[in-house]
């Protein structure tokens, strides 16, 4: 069974940093792209970026809204995905989800989400 | 970036009725479109991918159509558990953008 479990969310001050984790199991982690998606309270989903699989060199892509502030990485030995978030702003407050694809693209598996609140 | 314009933002309907949600892409995306359902407080669930293909375990009352820039998502014979939110997403090119969402409400 595929499982994705996010952790690391919480309250952080503007300008601060936070690292989210997504622990995975039930599949060969290195075979898959892994993405982060967020959702502010009551608002729409926003794709943040992904890290490619082993076959594609674990390279990354980001949305413009987080590029340069957020970094996606993976620990393939422990099957954990990370999202390092720096210089956080109030508008980064959201539930953050990790997601895994099927057939190389579609987000068939999602974690339960972890809430990040950026506030003084 | 490709913009996904989803409509309506909300819709009221009755049990047993059919509803259709539309997503318009700002440029052609072929059939690189997915539809997700999201229940309150839960993570999204993939319903349809490649514009028309039903994901495993998804009831046949859900369907998708379209290609290029105009896409539709239909629920036939609404059940009580269908009155939640729905999102489209294009995966033709990064950033993989979502529509603004549609919330279905019981009339």
């Amino acid at each position: 069974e595929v499982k994705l479990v996010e952790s690391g969310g919480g309250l952080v001050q503007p300008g601060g940093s936070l690292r989210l984790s997504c622990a995975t199991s039930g599949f060969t982690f290195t075979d898959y792209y892994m993405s982060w998606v967020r959702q502010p309270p009551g608002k729409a989903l926003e794709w943040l970026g992904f890290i490619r699989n082993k076959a594609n060199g674990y390279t990354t892509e980001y949305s413009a809204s987080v590029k340069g502030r957020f970094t996606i990485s993976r620990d393939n030995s422990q099957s954990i995905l990370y999202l390092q978030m720096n210089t956080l702003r109030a508008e980064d407050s959201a539930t953050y989800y990790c997601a895994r694809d099927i057939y190389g693209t579609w987000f068939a598996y999602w974690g339960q989400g972890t809430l990040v609140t950026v506030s003084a | 970036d490709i913009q996904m314009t989803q409509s309506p933002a909300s819709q009221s309907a009755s049990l047993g009725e059919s509803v259709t949600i539309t997503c318009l892409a700002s440029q052609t995306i072929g059939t690189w479109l997915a539809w997700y359902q999201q229940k309150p407080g839960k993570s999204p669930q993939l319903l349809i991918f490649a514009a028309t293909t039903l994901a495993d375990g998804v009831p046949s009352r859900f369907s998708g159509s379209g290609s290029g820039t105009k896409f539709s998502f239909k629920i036939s014979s609404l059940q009580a558990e269908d009155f939640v939110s729905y999102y489209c997403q294009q995966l033709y090119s990064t950033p993989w953008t979502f529509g603004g969402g549609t919330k279905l409400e019981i009339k």
Side-chain angles (χ1 to χ4, degrees), chain A residues 33 35 37 39 42-47 50 52 61-64 97 102-108 110-113, chain B residues 1 31-34 36 38 41-46 49-51 56 87 89 91 94-101:
Chain A
Y33 286 39
S35 287
V37 175
Q39 185 173 37
K43 295 191 177 181
L45 300 163
E46 179 189 11
W47 176 81
F50 63 57
R52 293 181 173 88
E61 289 201 30
Y62 299 94
S63 70
Y97 298 99
I102 55 169
Y103 311 132
T105 312
W106 320 101
F107 293 176
W110 296 69
Q112 84 288 352
Chain B
D1 297 2
T31 57
W32 290 96
L33 186 99
Y36 300 90
Q38 188 177 31
K42 300 295 185 182
S43 53
Q45 176 191 354
L46 178 67
F49 62 94
D56 287 348
Y87 293 90
Q89 182 196 21
L91 296 100
T94 56
W96 288 340
T97 41
F98 289 89

Side-chain angles (χ1 to χ4, degrees), chain B residues 2-46:
Chain B
I2 298 174
Q3 309 303 317
M4 301 302 294
T5 303
Q6 186 174 339
S7 61
S10 64
Q11 185 168 357
S12 295
S14 301
L15 290 169
E17 285 187 355
S18 296
V19 295
T20 299
I21 299 169
T22 299
C23 257
L24 296 178
S26 59
Q27 63 188 76
T28 185
I29 60 170
T31 57
W32 290 96
L33 186 99
W35 291 96
Y36 300 90
Q37 178 190 68
Q38 188 177 31
K39 299 177 180 179
K42 300 295 185 182
S43 53
Q45 176 191 354
L46 178 67

